[in-house]
Amino acid sequence: MAVKLDVAVAPLGRDRVFKGCSLVTCDEKVFSDASTLAREFAAVKNDVAGRVMPVVTAVCAGNAGDDGTYRYFMGDEVEKRGGNKGLEELLVPAGTLVAVVPVKFHMEASAALRAAQVRQAFYDGWLPGSCYECASDELGFADVELYHYRKRRFRRAKKMVLNLMFVLREKTGA
């Protein structure tokens, strides 16, 4: 099934700062470590001060090192850097060129699968045909999953929203 992408590329107008926790993992352990990381973040989530409202939670896998391990981060967006002692920080600085792609899904249970499909369509389809390239070497990661909830119109329920934010730069010599 072809995935249709709605890609918006622009430099960030402000720092995006996330506070939370991380662990070191590898591709063989990432699925079991994801639940461990979620539990660890749930234990410290109430300690995050200065959250941006509505709450936006970031999940990000860093670039793999020579040994195949990488930092796997989960945290909530905060107003500014600093504070929140004991928590780790993920920063996407103002001016960073990013592509934001909404991930559409019908049930929360299918969100991870749809995110993987959108990520693959972006890297294998959209990116090679664009005037951009991945800039993962600049920040130590290629993309960030951004989760938040919106109130549904005319309903009391909330709907989870997922966007992927890809770190880019313009291609040189193209």
Side-chain angles (χ1 to χ4, degrees):
M1 170 171 90
V3 177
K4 185 176 186 279
L5 300 181
D6 179 15
V7 181
V9 177
L12 288 178
R14 62 176 174 80
D15 287 349
R16 302 278 313 256
V17 182
F18 302 89
K19 291 289 186 167
C21 54
S22 70
L23 52 77
V24 175
T25 191
C26 62
D27 287 343
E28 293 80 28
K29 295 178 10 184
V30 70
F31 291 110
S32 62
D33 283 346
S35 60
T36 301
L37 180 59
R39 282 191 305 276
E40 288 179 12
F41 180 59
V44 300
K45 188 172 179 73
N46 290 334
D47 298 333
V48 177
R51 273 193 197 92
V52 170
M53 293 296 176
V55 175
V56 177
T57 301
V59 177
C60 178
N63 295 340
D66 293 337
D67 63 354
T69 63
Y70 50 90
R71 177 181 176 218
Y72 194 34
F73 175 87
M74 182 180 289
D76 285 347
E77 188 167 14
V78 295
E79 296 287 337
K80 59 185 179 181
R81 297 187 74 182
N84 290 291
K85 291 192 182 213
L87 297 178
E88 297 179 46
E89 182 176 279
L90 177 77
L91 170 67
V92 186
T96 301
L97 186 63
V98 298
V100 177
V101 181
V103 177
K104 296 177 180 154
F105 53 91
H106 296 291
M107 298 181 304
E108 284 187 28
S110 65
L113 174 61
R114 290 295 297 156
Q117 292 170 336
V118 168
R119 189 177 274 118
Q120 182 176 8
F122 181 85
Y123 286 121
D124 294 346
W126 186 89
L127 190 59
S130 75
C131 61
Y132 304 103
E133 61 188 10
C134 181
S136 65
D137 55 327
E138 293 177 16
L139 298 178
F141 54 88
D143 57 65
V144 180
E145 297 174 11
L146 300 172
Y147 296 87
H148 66 282
Y149 288 87
R150 289 190 183 145
K151 282 188 174 182
R152 290 184 172 195
R153 231 179 177 164
F154 307 117
R155 294 186 193 168
R156 292 182 183 194
K158 291 183 178 180
K159 176 183 180 183
M160 185 174 77
V161 176
L162 170 57
N163 291 314
L164 294 178
M165 183 171 63
F166 299 91
V167 180
L168 303 175
R169 68 174 156 249
E170 292 188 19
K171 286 181 185 173
T172 55

